[in-house]
Amino acid sequence: MIVLLPPSETKHPGGDGPPLALDHLDAAALNPLRGELLDEVTALAADPDASRRALGLSERQDGEIARNAVLRSAPTVPAIHRYTGVLYDALDVGSLRGAAAERARARLRISSALFGLLRADDAIPAYRLSAGSKLPNRPTLAARWRPLLEPVFDRLTSDHLIIDLRSAPYAALARIPGALRVGVVAADADGRRVAVSHANKSHKGRLARVLAGSRAEPNDAAAVAAVARRAGMRMEYHGSDLTVVVSG
């Protein structure tokens, strides 16, 4: 089983690892585009105005541009500790211990606009590039990533069940036939249901924690739902769609 996470816009700064080494990242087939994007984003940082337009930043976020300027030389940390925010707070991977922590490191993958796909332990610098970013005079990131990422996912799905927690912009970077998609809905006392937006990431992070650390190795939607239910979550499934149901 692989639990595929979205990244986050916000990232922990700094780090104590050596500078980025593409050859040490998973999925070497992605390295040519990783290198291109690193060069493009680094060069773009020399023009703050162009960077703000491409990355959707304000002047108050110029620190993000400064980070991009030193991507090749900046310190690194494991990807699972680089990203921050609501989903990663709920996942709280740092509190897992022993075998559960080992299973989480093996199962967790992170979608990335800059790196395509990352293992939990892949060491990366802090950066700013989103799936919807528009680099000057270049095709969309989805158009560039799909030809490379989709074969990688095809190989993964031949050996693993993938639980896809990506948001729509990151799902556009690669289609994953056979992956189990996850949604979150709120149900009120009368049975009415509405999609959850504000707390969506928190519930997905909780599900990721349950699945990543579980002793079980589910191989279909029913088995995934059973793992979540044993952890106290209300989970339904239909075909390849999983739904976390929370109180409205």
Side-chain angles (χ1 to χ4, degrees):
M1 172 175 60
I2 286 175
V3 181
L4 180 59
L5 306 175
S8 61
E9 297 288 359
T10 55
K11 301 174 183 70
H12 291 295
D16 56 9
L20 176 68
L22 290 183
D23 290 344
H24 292 174
L25 302 183
D26 193 27
L30 305 180
N31 283 347
L33 183 51
R34 286 167 172 161
E36 288 179 19
L37 292 173
L38 283 163
D39 291 343
E40 291 169 18
V41 170
T42 301
L44 184 64
D47 186 338
D49 288 336
S51 289
R52 294 184 202 111
R53 289 192 297 271
L55 305 177
L57 301 176
S58 69
E59 290 186 12
R60 290 180 299 176
Q61 296 172 293
D62 278 357
E64 302 278 2
I65 300 172
R67 287 180 179 180
N68 281 355
V70 293
L71 287 174
R72 295 280 191 176
S73 59
T76 59
V77 297
I80 198 63
H81 298 302
R82 176 63 75 191
Y83 298 99
T84 184
V86 174
L87 186 150
Y88 288 88
D89 288 346
L91 171 60
D92 193 16
V93 73
S95 68
L96 295 174
R97 295 290 182 268
E102 292 179 10
R103 287 190 290 268
R105 288 196 298 272
R107 289 172 173 169
L108 292 170
R109 298 288 194 282
I110 303 164
S111 178
S112 166
L114 182 58
F115 298 107
L117 183 67
L118 294 164
R119 293 172 300 193
D121 287 337
D122 281 341
I124 60 169
Y127 67 92
R128 185 61 176 250
L129 185 71
S130 305
S133 297
K134 299 178 181 178
L135 296 176
N137 304 313
R138 302 297 293 157
T140 66
L141 291 172
R144 299 174 74 180
W145 273 122
R146 274 189 177 182
L148 295 179
L149 265 179
E150 290 184 351
V152 170
F153 280 119
D154 285 345
R155 289 190 290 273
L156 283 176
T157 55
S158 67
D159 296 318
H160 304 279
L161 177 68
I162 296 182
I163 293 85
D164 187 358
L165 302 180
R166 295 176 299 169
S167 56
Y170 286 90
L173 298 184
R175 295 161 294 195
I176 313 175
L180 301 182
R181 301 177 297 270
V182 178
V184 183
V185 301
D188 63 20
D190 296 325
R192 290 187 295 267
R193 295 185 172 193
V194 295
V196 171
S197 55
H198 178 67
N200 178 291
K201 293 179 181 179
S202 178
H203 295 295
K204 285 185 175 181
R206 182 185 173 199
L207 177 63
R209 179 181 177 86
V210 167
L211 296 177
S214 174
R215 293 186 181 90
E217 191 64 60
N219 57 11
D220 59 22
V224 172
V227 172
R229 289 168 186 157
R230 287 196 294 271
M233 301 185 73
R234 183 178 172 188
M235 174 73 78
E236 299 175 354
Y237 65 93
H238 179 73
S240 60
D241 293 322
L242 291 160
T243 304
V244 178
V245 183
V246 299
S247 298

